[in-house]
Amino acid sequence: MTSTTGGRTAATTVNGVGTSPARPDGTRKVRGEFAYSSDLWHEDMLWGATLRSPYPHARVTGVDIAAAVAVPGVYAVLTHDDVPGLNRYGLEHPDQPVLADDVVRYRGEPVAVVAADHPETAQRAVKLIDVTYDVLDPVTDAEEAVRGDVAAVHPGGNVVRHAAIRRGEQASQADVVVTGRYEVGMQDQAFLGPESGLAVPDGSGGVDLYVATQWLHVDQQQIVAALGVSPEQVRLTLAGVGGAFGGREDLSMQIHASLLALYTGNPVKMVYNREESFYGHVHRHPATMYYEHGATRDGRLVYVTARIYLDGGAYASSTGAVVGNAATLGVGPYDVPNVRIDCWGTYTNNPPCGAMRGFGAVQAAFGYESQMDKLAAACGLSPTEVRRRNAMCEGTVMPTGQTVDSAAPVAELLDRLDAMPLPSGPSRDAGVADLRSLPGGVSNTTHGEGVVRGVGYAVGIKNICFSEGFDDYSTARVRLAAVGGEPAVTVQTAAAEVGQGLVTILQQIVRTELGVDQVTILPAGTSIGSAGSTSASRQSYMTGGAVRAAALKVRGALLSHAATTLSRTAAELHLDGGKLASAADGVLADLVDVLGEAEFDETVEWRHRPTEALDPETGQGNAHVQYGFAAHRAVVDVDVELGLVKVVSLDCVQDVGKALNPQAVVGQIQGGSAQGLGLALMEEIRTDGGVIRNPSFTDYLIPTVLDMPPMNIEVLELADPHAPYGLRGVGEPPTISSTPAIVAAIRAATGKELLRVPVRPDHLI
Amino acid sequence: MRLNLTVNGERRRADDVWEGESLLYVLRERLGLPGSKNACEQGECGSCTVYLDEVPACACLVAAGQAEGREVRTVEGLADGDTLDPVQQSFVECGAVQCGFCTPGLVVAAHDLLRREPDPSDEEIREALAGNLCRCTGYEKILDAVRSAASAR
Ligand code: FES
Ligand code: FES
């Protein structure tokens, strides 16, 4: 597990790559001193609030703001008429109004915004805005939307994207055929830090925005277009981010707060409450999936046919890319010679859906892994054996025709899971087991009677970084100088730290490359070039790659400088623990002395190797740059009388190529697995006619510490030769296989078919 | 209204408090103590947990007026100068902090548990933290941190 960098091994650097130093923001976070986007304050600050549509589909026939404007303490009430630039924004297509003009397309769509001197005053003014609507029938079914037998939500029709994948024979036959229709409910990212930020006008038509987001530059572009100003006039700085998981990739309050700040001339803070947060960000696409798997009698896949419908809701957001993922990853981590997949992403009047951890791969995995278990049963094989027989590996050709050109250890993941110990129990003797270890817990619903155990497995695949020909890059600036008698490095990027620990990893990379202990990560902002989004498990790869490249340039320049000072050649010098040394003579000088007054300052724009668009007819193309794999084994106890499930253990094996920070890697696996558990058992935004029925943490449940079982985790490090340090993106794969493994375990316990997640008690009794 | 209370050992006063404000709002927006968090403001997540007269409470559920004359201790009041409380120290060391939005509430809840029960079992830790949501960590490293803080005491 050593990687060679500049003549030394990475593993030797104190707090460098491969170690787990404490996060630089950890102390401030435990003291309550870390400034999140909802913590900001400014002299003369006003509070913004948003009026949202009560209808999922309606024509707006009038907006009367007079009563709201008259409220003492109200400084501004703005509608679409007040948007100076383009009244549209969107991640992939600018199809979403900043403030509704003629039509509202989802319940919760912003119609007007208010600024006032107290948040309660702003809320009261919002209630006094009088909007008249002509209510229209909502389109709420994605399959109907694709068939075209409902109204068009947008002028171009209801299909945001259709992706077709065609590989091999299209009319396949097989000895064993299994089919199924599967559904995935709408999951919420449920990050804890609400959408929030502070916009400060600069007095000359521009604005400084401090905000929690995932991609500062794409926010900036959309804000600039809506405000009708030049890019230099909108400067973003990342405020503390309380989790993201995809839900901050689209704009929420950014344009609204900026507009209010420019109109009032005062700083404006906006903070959503939890209910508004459910309306204020996109969710995971709910899916309906029709799968058919054909195999030989001994369980080898001959073909897979699938039709996948992803409901994108009212606006496109990142639906196009989600469709691309679900389609290209639609057969899972298996080698399938003949594939026919059609995947649609639609417009409806349901809440808008976009990015959430796992991004299209989560939905497909519930479909294909359910099918693999059906196939195992049909062929008389164990769930792990049927997966092993079809497991992809390095060299496998994907349904897109792309050859997998680095490790794909699917069979090994399963072998390692099988080798892990199983938990004991369950105790069948009523009264013996600790209530807290049983389904229902201290609700005292069973003492062990009616409880059955099951074990289930699943494997998932995820593309890492941006795909399909996107020009994916990150920018980093690394500066080395002597500060206070010590060599010190500052690192500047626009990459969003959202909790995952990128800031720690960037420090580690610099320590490894420059042998300098003191590394400061500057606040992320738009004063440097884009880092791309904190999504697609890409920041360690991309911004890690950019920082490493910039650090290597600094090292090159420093060594040439040192060569002159020390009368050596640059080639014989290396950096080690704040010293300059040569292999022959050991330590030659302190870095700080060689530096003197000099400073080395390099900025690099770094790209991964290019990918290709998919052929629109056949879906063929080298669309992805890297694949990540994880596998789970779940053990559950189910109270079959009440339909209650207790996950007893949830074990995971994942290949990460290289664990830059092993503690953070394990943290990603634990947290990602928990979100998968949530989707399996409890998490769903319930809609009725397009209206969210449960916009609160009272009614939308996420796993608590009582729901999460202990996990055995194994991390493999099979280097990807194309990636910095051989790393493989970590964040998403564990979310993908966790859900189907838990459902498989419940099926094994109960014998129920379970075609939908989340599994509800009434599915089990 | 005017509000007088003691926060982290200091007597504090807030003027022009609207009756509908919560203790959480007063702490965060009027007293410059945004450490206690606002993840739900409806008593479901525990991110706003503070000691109110030595008993942990969700500050979002306490009306400002109810805090009149009482003693509040927030996450900002746990460390001794530069020296972190053992619970805080363990959270940093064990990787129990990712985004950290749940952290202030969990630190206060864990601090309270260890005052009551210096050597808790895993079941007791889970029960004590069951009212605190964390979306990032899957809780395992939070359990590690509480175990480690207990053994450090
Ligand atoms: S903010 Fe008080 S319990 Fe969530
Ligand atoms: S660390 Fe993010 S919510 Fe707990």
Side-chain angles (χ1 to χ4, degrees), chain A residues 128-142:
Chain A
L128 292 172
I129 301 171
D130 187 15
V131 185
T132 46
Y133 296 97
D134 241 351
V135 177
L136 304 169
D137 280 341
V139 175
T140 57
D141 185 289

Side-chain angles (χ1 to χ4, degrees), chain A residues 475-478 490-494 520-523 525 527-528 547:
Chain A
T475 316
R477 177 178 180 190
V478 172
T490 51
V491 176
Q492 189 183 9
T493 78
T520 305
I521 310 296
L522 298 175
S527 56
I528 184 169
V547 166

